[in-house]
Amino acid sequence: MAGNNITGKIPPELGMLTQLHELDLSSNYLVGEIPEEFGELTVLLKLNLSSNQLSGSLPLEVGRLYSLTYLDLSTNSLSGQIPNEIGNCSNLIYLDLSNNKLNGSIPFQIGSLVHLQLLLDLSQNKFSGEILSQFINLGNLEKLNLSHNQLSGTIFSAFAGMSSLTSIDISYNEFEGPLPNNKAYQNATIEDLRNNKALCGNVSGLQPCKSSSSKGENAKPDHKILIIVLVPLVGLLLLLFAFVSIACVCHRRERIIETEQRTPPRDTDLFSIWNYDGRIVYQEIIEATEDFDTKYCIGMGGYGSVYIAKLSTGQVVAVKKLHQSLQDECEDTNIQTFRNEICALKKLRHRNIVKLYGFCSSMLHSFLVYEYFEKGSLAKILNNNELALEMDWIKRVNVIKGVANALSYMHHDCSPPIIHRDISSNNVLMDEEYEASVSDFGTARLLKPDSSNWTSQAGTCGYVAPELAYTMKVTRKCDVYSFGVLTLEVLMGRHPSEFISTLLSSYSIMPSTEQMILLRTVLDKRLSPPTIDMVEELLAVMKLAISCLATSPQSRPDMHYVCEKLSS
């Protein structure tokens, strides 16, 4: 209905179309306010009301449009502040509020829109105040326009993390200070930066940034006195620091030696899985990570940090070290998590399950040694535009098959069966060929036939089966539900979130043509559209994923059936 010369107010009855996926009323003569009833359109993917004469404030109910990926309200007469509830629209990839009369500060919740990629345009408004850390999480954003506002303050720290920016316009504001060191600002023209208070940097038309060390001649005597006082003081502090560091190193070595001397011979086999000399490998890992220096840390979780270690043999491994505070406290839960992972992985031998090479549990350190995965986690890849582009549709289907194979092996080929309980994109690791392996078995549980299998709640929010909200009984179907969420995430390139309820309520009754349209709408837009043959395969995969998300656990298929369907 765009450009049809429609006049009058937007009818609130549109809010009753709760299954609506796209609404475009742009380039008309609509007046009045945006109806609050639009908050009922929770499955709406695209909303375009641009180039009208709408007035009033942006309703708080916009925060209920959880599925929204595209929002364009530009060129209207909207006023007031952007509501904080905008942060709930976490699936947005395009947001244009330009050419209105919006005012106040830009809300901090804008930083929650981590999937913003194509555009964030707030230009031609009356925004004021400083840009602090609102934009620090928008690492995927490519185009940003804040021009013609009254924004002030420095911009260096706020924009430094926006590595994907290719186009910016911050002209006609009151910004000051140095430009950020990213490509968009270094390639900007003076037109993109003009009419600000005191910007500086290596852009033609801007003043170069002055060195903080330049002072007048009158300051030189004070400078000399300061140098005379500081140089000896700094030297003394360096000597003291060196002495303390040497003392600490010597004390630590003594503790390690004492610990090894107190350890009985039968306990020296720290890495019992490979059955080699545990003390040698222990020392190799300590040296390779420089006693777990933070520069080798490649990830951090609830009960441990992961480090990369290159051994003298040339082998590269990943080392998950139990947090020292948890180890010192000897909390039963954390120790049990550590033991669970060892117990589970000792039983598992599968190409799509991470390999455990060994473990150590000593007075100084407790850690696990795994094979190293070059690409990191699936979540990291999906959140990185460059890596996500490399993972094409064929690779994505293979990732889904790999996880399904691992779960089928755990559920049906192990005795007793093993339930992972925390399947998520953070716990799927990828090698150089984008082959998937399931990791992180800290919450895994053996499914014993003579036990009730009731347990405390575990898992990652957004992947946990709904029945665990009222029962703590562990079944295979809990993993099946998590697999369904993960499958949709691989296809969409982001967590499906509230979109799950839409699929469960409407997908099965849609005609095949509508199913295909919906699939093309939700597929990861960073990849080229799939071929006709691939669309058929992706439709089958989505249908299978939806069956895994059934509210009733009994209605979900088992993983053996899922693997058979994926193979066929």
Side-chain angles (χ1 to χ4, degrees), residues 80-125:
Q81 298 187 353
I82 299 177
N84 295 340
E85 286 75 8
I86 192 74
N88 296 332
C89 302
S90 56
N91 289 317
L92 279 174
I93 61 174
Y94 183 104
L95 176 59
D96 191 348
L97 303 178
S98 63
N99 201 11
N100 279 286
K101 299 176 182 178
L102 298 170
N103 55 45
S105 59
I106 297 174
F108 179 82
Q109 288 75 9
I110 286 286
S112 301
L113 307 179
V114 295
H115 294 298
L116 271 180
Q117 177 187 352
L118 302 181
L119 175 70
L120 173 58
D121 193 340
L122 305 177
S123 63
Q124 302 281 350
N125 280 287

Side-chain angles (χ1 to χ4, degrees), residues 57 85 87 134 138 150 156 212 298 300 341 349 379 414 427 441 459 469-470 536 555 563:
S57 59
E85 286 75 8
Q134 289 96 323
L138 305 183
Q150 300 161 22
F156 184 83
S212 60
I298 57 176
M300 186 172 294
E341 192 145 10
R349 294 292 185 272
C414 293
N427 293 335
F441 286 76
Y470 53 85
E536 293 294 333
S555 300
C563 284

Side-chain angles (χ1 to χ4, degrees), residues 500-511:
I500 293 175
S501 59
T502 304
L503 289 175
L504 291 178
S505 63
S506 61
Y507 187 83
S508 60
I509 60 175
M510 285 182 178

Side-chain angles (χ1 to χ4, degrees), residues 421-427 443 458-465 482 495:
R421 295 207 297 161
D422 196 11
I423 294 296
S424 71
S425 55
N426 281 315
N427 293 335
T443 59
T460 301
C461 182
Y463 300 86
V464 179
S482 301
H495 190 280

Side-chain angles (χ1 to χ4, degrees), residues 3 17 135 213 267 276 309 359 366 410 444 494 502 529 547:
L17 304 177
F135 298 154
S213 61
D267 290 337
Y276 44 52
F359 64 91
S366 292
M410 291 162 54
R494 63 183 187 277
T502 304
S547 69

Side-chain angles (χ1 to χ4, degrees), residues 187-208:
N187 294 339
T189 67
I190 190 60
E191 299 298 326
D192 301 322
L193 307 170
R194 69 165 58 251
N195 283 77
N196 274 286
K197 185 176 180 181
L199 288 176
C200 64
N202 298 323
V203 173
S204 177
L206 286 186
Q207 292 291 331

